[in-house]
Amino acid sequence: MSAAAILLAAGLGTRMKSRLPKALHPLAGRPMLNHLIAACEGVFDRVVVVVGPDMPALEAAAHPHATVVQAERLGTGHAALQAFPLLAGFDGDVAVLYADNPLITPDTLKRLRAARDNAGLALLAMRPADPARYGRVLQNAAGDVTRIVEFAEANEEERAVGLCNAGVLCAPAEKLFGWLRQVRNDNRAGEYYLPDVVPLAVADGDRVTAVEAPEAELRGINSRVELAAAEAEIQARLRRQAMEQGATLIQPDSVVFSYDTTLGRDVTVQPNVVFGPGVTVEDGVEIRAFSHLEGCVVREGALVGPYARLRPGTDVGPRAHIGNFVELKNAQVAEGAKANHLSYIGDASIGAGSNIGAGTITCNYDGFAKHRTEIGAGVFVGSHTTLVAPIALGDGSMTAAGSVLTRDVAADAMAFARARPAEKPGAAAAFRAARRKEKN
C-alpha cells in the first residue's frame, strides 16, 4: 500500500531566539527539516511539508517536495489538515511528523507503517529519562492505546505512567482527515491538537497501537540547548558508523562529522578534526589533528595535516602530502605531490611528484576575478615563492626561494625573480647612532 508523510514545519521556534525558522537550524551541516525528509524518502511515496506564511527559505529547503502554507497557526491538528487539498483522493496511509523531530530513523518509520497494518491508528511513543513534560500514553490490559493525557491534566496515577507520546502518528488517509475535521479547540490555547484524534479513533472502534522507539530519536528540539543535545546524538551516530565501516578515530568525541561525510577503510582520523559538508576520504588516508575539511576529496593513501585546511573544490591525489598550516581552495593536487608547510594554494593544479616549498602563495585574486595557477609534474617550488596568477610552471621546472613570479616558466627551466643582494658596510651602526642622537 502507498503511503504519504505530512511534515509539520510551520513553527517559528520562539524559544530558539532566532530569525531563522526552527526547521532550518542545522544538525551535522544539514537543516533539521532535511534530515526528516531524508528519513521519510525511503519509507513514504509522497512527502508534503506544511510551512508558515512568508517562509520562502523553508519552501526552498523542502523542494522538490510539495509545500502548503498554514496561514494561521491554530495548532498541530489544524496544520496537518492543511495538507488535505494536496492529498485529496489519496487512498493510502498518511503519517504526520514534526520537523523538530529530525532524528527519527527510517527503521522506526517502517515499524510505524507495519504496526498500522494491524490497527486503525499507530503512533510513536517513548520512555524518556525525564517524562515530566510529555503527554502520557494510556493503554488497556491488551496493550491498546485508549487515550493520551497531557501532563498538566494528568492525575498522580497517570503521571506515573512511563510511556510518553512522541506526537507522530499514522492512519488511513480518509480516516485521518475525517478525525482531524472533528478535532475541537475547546482548550486554554484555543488550538486544534493532533493527539486529539486518538480518542476519536477509539470512539469509532478503531484499534490504536503504540510503537516504542528510543528517546534519542523522538525527543523534540525547541531550544538551543536541545539543539546541542541533538547534535551530540547525531555526531555519536556518525562516529559509530564511521568506525563500524573501517575507519579509526583516535579520539572519537573530538571529531566532528557532517551528515554526508564518507570515510573509506583504514582511514585514520586524529583528534580535533572537523568535516564540513561534501567530504569524501578514500582508503588508507591519514587526517592529522586540528585539520578542517569541506567540499573536497582526499584520494587513497594521502596524508593531510596537522592544522591543514581543505576548502571546496579541492582534490588531493593518491599519496599526496598536505602538511601543517597549508590551505587549499579549488586546488587539484596530483599523485605524490607535496605541500608540507605554511602555504596557500588557491585555484591551482599541482602535477604529480611536485614539491611546494614552505610559504608559497598562489595570488589568485586581482580584486575583480579569480585566476588559475598551473604547476606541472616534477616541479620544485622554492620556499616563499609568490606565483601571481594566471601563471604556468612547466614540467620539471624550479623556482628560486623568495621569488615573485608573474610570467610562465618553461619546462626544466629555473626561474629567479628577486632583488640582487646589496651590502653597505657599517650602515647598521650608523643608523642606530643617528636614532640615538635624535632621541637625545
Side-chain angles (χ1 to χ4, degrees):
M1 180 182 293
S2 58
I6 301 171
L7 312 187
L8 305 185
L12 291 172
T14 305
R15 287 165 56 189
M16 300 293 283
K17 294 181 171 58
S18 173
R19 293 187 180 92
L20 189 69
K22 179 167 65 170
L24 290 181
H25 280 265
L27 287 171
R30 177 164 64 173
M32 286 195 279
L33 173 64
N34 294 95
H35 281 282
L36 187 57
I37 288 175
C40 289
E41 284 176 335
V43 181
F44 298 97
D45 306 288
R46 296 177 63 180
V47 174
V48 176
V49 181
V50 181
V51 304
D54 301 318
M55 288 184 165
L58 205 54
E59 294 181 40
H63 183 78
H65 300 289
T67 58
V68 61
V69 177
Q70 184 189 22
E72 295 182 87
R73 293 181 173 88
L74 298 177
T76 53
H78 176 265
L81 195 56
Q82 305 313 297
F84 174 73
L86 296 180
L87 295 172
F90 184 75
D91 62 357
D93 284 351
V94 173
V96 183
L97 304 96
Y98 299 86
D100 60 4
N101 286 129
L103 300 184
I104 297 175
T105 64
D107 286 344
T108 293
L109 295 177
K110 289 174 183 176
R111 290 197 296 120
L112 177 69
R113 283 199 61 187
R116 218 298 299 157
D117 291 341
N118 299 311
L121 174 68
L123 56 84
L124 292 183
M126 58 182 172
R127 297 184 184 275
D130 180 12
R133 65 190 179 94
Y134 293 102
R136 300 305 200 266
V137 178
L138 305 183
Q139 299 168 293
N140 60 22
D144 296 337
V145 177
T146 56
R147 68 189 179 102
I148 295 172
V149 58
E150 295 304 320
F151 177 80
E153 300 171 2
N155 59 37
E156 289 302 315
E157 182 180 357
E158 291 166 339
R159 290 181 177 182
V161 173
L163 191 62
C164 295
N165 179 37
V168 176
L169 51 80
C170 183
E174 184 177 359
K175 288 188 175 184
L176 177 62
F177 288 120
W179 293 327
L180 286 171
R181 292 189 188 93
Q182 297 177 57
V183 171
R184 302 178 59 173
N185 67 340
D186 50 357
N187 52 62
R188 194 174 301 172
E191 295 187 350
Y192 301 88
Y193 293 132
L194 183 63
D196 288 349
V197 303
V198 172
L200 294 171
V202 173
D204 281 353
D206 282 285
R207 177 171 175 259
V208 180
T209 187
V211 176
E212 290 193 42
E215 179 188 7
E217 285 190 40
L218 301 182
R219 60 185 172 200
I221 299 173
N222 296 295
S223 68
R224 306 277 186 161
V225 172
E226 291 171 348
L227 184 68
E231 182 71 37
E233 169 62 27
I234 198 168
Q235 289 297 332
R237 289 186 193 178
L238 294 169
R239 292 164 187 149
R240 176 175 291 277
Q241 177 180 297
M243 291 185 286
E244 288 176 346
Q245 292 177 353
T248 294
L249 309 183
I250 302 299
Q251 192 180 75
D253 288 350
S254 71
V255 178
V256 178
F257 285 103
S258 280
Y259 71 97
D260 60 350
T261 304
T262 300
L263 301 186
R265 293 184 177 182
D266 297 315
V267 169
T268 299
V269 182
Q270 292 188 0
N272 299 295
V273 172
V274 176
F275 294 95
V279 176
T280 297
V281 178
E282 295 184 353
D283 295 350
V285 169
E286 182 176 357
I287 310 293
R288 290 180 172 171
F290 293 99
S291 295
H292 188 287
L293 297 80
E294 56 181 320
C296 63
V297 177
V298 183
R299 305 291 176 179
E300 185 174 358
L303 175 63
V304 175
Y307 293 97
R309 185 182 182 195
L310 274 53
R311 293 170 57 191
T314 291
D315 188 323
V316 177
R319 290 165 289 285
H321 289 189
I322 306 301
N324 50 289
F325 302 103
V326 174
E327 178 178 350
L328 273 61
K329 191 273 292 185
N330 191 26
Q332 292 72 54
V333 181
E335 182 172 1
K338 297 179 181 179
N340 279 326
H341 319 281
L342 302 155
S343 295
Y344 171 70
I345 309 297
D347 297 294
S349 62
I350 301 174
S354 290
N355 186 86
I356 308 300
T360 296
I361 298 171
T362 60
C363 302
N364 56 330
Y365 184 51
D366 63 6
F368 297 92
K370 298 292 179 70
H371 303 280
R372 288 196 65 80
T373 297
E374 305 288 345
I375 300 174
V379 173
F380 184 89
V381 179
S383 297
H384 291 284
T385 294
T386 300
L387 301 171
V388 182
I391 190 171
L393 277 59
D395 293 349
S397 62
M398 300 179 69
T399 75
S403 294
V404 178
L405 300 177
T406 60
R407 297 179 181 177
D408 293 352
V409 179
D412 294 319
M414 181 179 291
F416 297 81
R418 58 191 181 194
R420 183 181 297 276
E423 181 177 326
K424 295 182 179 181
F431 173 79
R432 289 191 291 271
R435 291 303 305 270
R436 293 190 192 102
K437 186 175 181 180
E438 288 175 5
K439 288 183 179 180
N440 295 330

